[in-house]
Amino acid sequence: MKNETRKNQENIFRELFQKNYGTPMSVSSESLNHKKQRFSKVCDIFKDDNDITIHDVGMGVADLYGFIQESHSQKKILYSGTEILKEYVEEASVRFPDLAFFHRDIAEKSFDDTYDYLLMSGVFHQRRESSIRQWEKFYQEIIKNSFAMCKKGIAFNFISPFVDFYQTPVYYCNLPKLINFINDDLSRFFEIKHDYALYEFTVFVYQESYIKSKTVQPEFQKYFKND
Ligand SMILES: C[S@@+](CC[C@H](N)C(=O)[O-])C[C@H]1O[C@@H](n2cnc3c(N)ncnc32)[C@H](O)[C@@H]1O
């Protein structure tokens, strides 16, 4: 039985896709430049890597892959994605027939496939009919399950709570709640970038094993768990 949040999400995005086919609004983006700004911030998580696997959770029609082809062509990146809306999965498969796209719900569970990085862009913006409590449970499930599937880290964005006005269907992230969730359930290794034009911020959360692998100083080894 599908949960309410998922049903709401599918209805919103199906309608947007049908009404705005071929435009950024088909995945609820204001403009191409808004999307590029968001993607560029999320992709900063792999700026020092050259050969990686990434998985786009809530990929829409895989516009992020188009951005990666344009802006990170010098890197070797194996891209794949997951989406709950069948119409988006079909459209992404037509656009990029050689790539793997999964029609599945990452809010339900984590899956066995793993990647260096999992990215979520624009997935937690449109709360619509879901209550704030339902939405916070929903984003925590997706983020937790995505984190379980990453070898290095995850990147995602939220609308900032520091805005000029509110719109009811939008989720303005409760930052203290988010930070406590990250530290308690995921990892104490994280970054928050609240430094760009949009009323949004981008978060990176890293696996402890990844940070440990980059920390060579013997005197710092005591700060990591031994596993
Ligand atoms: C605003 S769109 C963003 C699409 C894409 N990331 C982009 O920037 O073009 C949010 C997407 O998240 C998807 N989504 C929502 N819940 C999901 C879930 N539980 N698992 C996978 N995708 C989900 C929606 O269907 C929608 O396509």
Side-chain angles (χ1 to χ4, degrees), residues 9 13 27 35 39 58-59 83-84 88 105 121-122 138 142:
Q9 287 283 293
F13 289 109
V27 285
K35 287 184 81 95
F39 288 160
M59 79 214 176
E83 191 27 81
I84 47 168
Y88 282 161
D105 185 351
S121 188
F138 165 78
I142 296 191

Side-chain angles (χ1 to χ4, degrees), residues 4 8 20 22 38 60-61 96 111 115 131 134 141 145 152 178 192 198 211 214 216:
E4 280 307 303
N8 289 340
N20 306 283
R38 255 176 224 134
V61 295
F96 306 112
F111 294 84
Y115 306 89
S131 68
Q134 278 172 330
E141 289 305 314
N145 293 334
K152 294 184 175 182
L178 175 68
I192 298 178
L198 310 184
I211 300 296
K214 296 201 308 175
V216 291

Side-chain angles (χ1 to χ4, degrees), residues 113-207:
D113 37 317
T114 57
Y115 306 89
D116 291 316
Y117 299 103
L118 284 90
L119 313 179
M120 288 145 267
S121 188
V123 180
F124 310 124
H125 292 24
Q126 297 293 327
R127 176 171 67 78
R128 302 288 178 105
E129 286 91 25
S130 301
S131 68
I132 291 177
R133 190 180 285 268
Q134 278 172 330
W135 194 251
E136 287 174 343
K137 190 171 177 330
F138 165 78
Y139 88 61
Q140 291 188 0
E141 289 305 314
I142 296 191
I143 292 176
K144 198 155 42 95
N145 293 334
S146 298
F147 193 66
M149 295 167 69
C150 82
K151 291 184 239 175
K152 294 184 175 182
I154 58 174
F156 50 85
N157 45 36
F158 275 98
I159 306 272
S160 172
F162 307 115
V163 290
D164 276 351
F165 60 87
Y166 293 112
Q167 291 172 315
T168 322
V170 169
Y171 176 66
Y172 299 90
C173 185
N174 179 329
L175 256 169
K177 215 177 222 178
L178 175 68
I179 295 170
N180 281 313
F181 158 69
I182 291 172
N183 180 65
D184 293 350
D185 290 26
L186 309 178
S187 163
R188 74 180 175 89
F189 302 99
F190 59 90
E191 294 182 56
I192 298 178
K193 313 276 184 186
H194 196 294
D195 64 345
Y196 52 106
L198 310 184
Y199 282 98
E200 301 184 356
F201 61 93
T202 300
V203 183
F204 301 158
V205 188
Y206 301 101
Q207 292 286 0

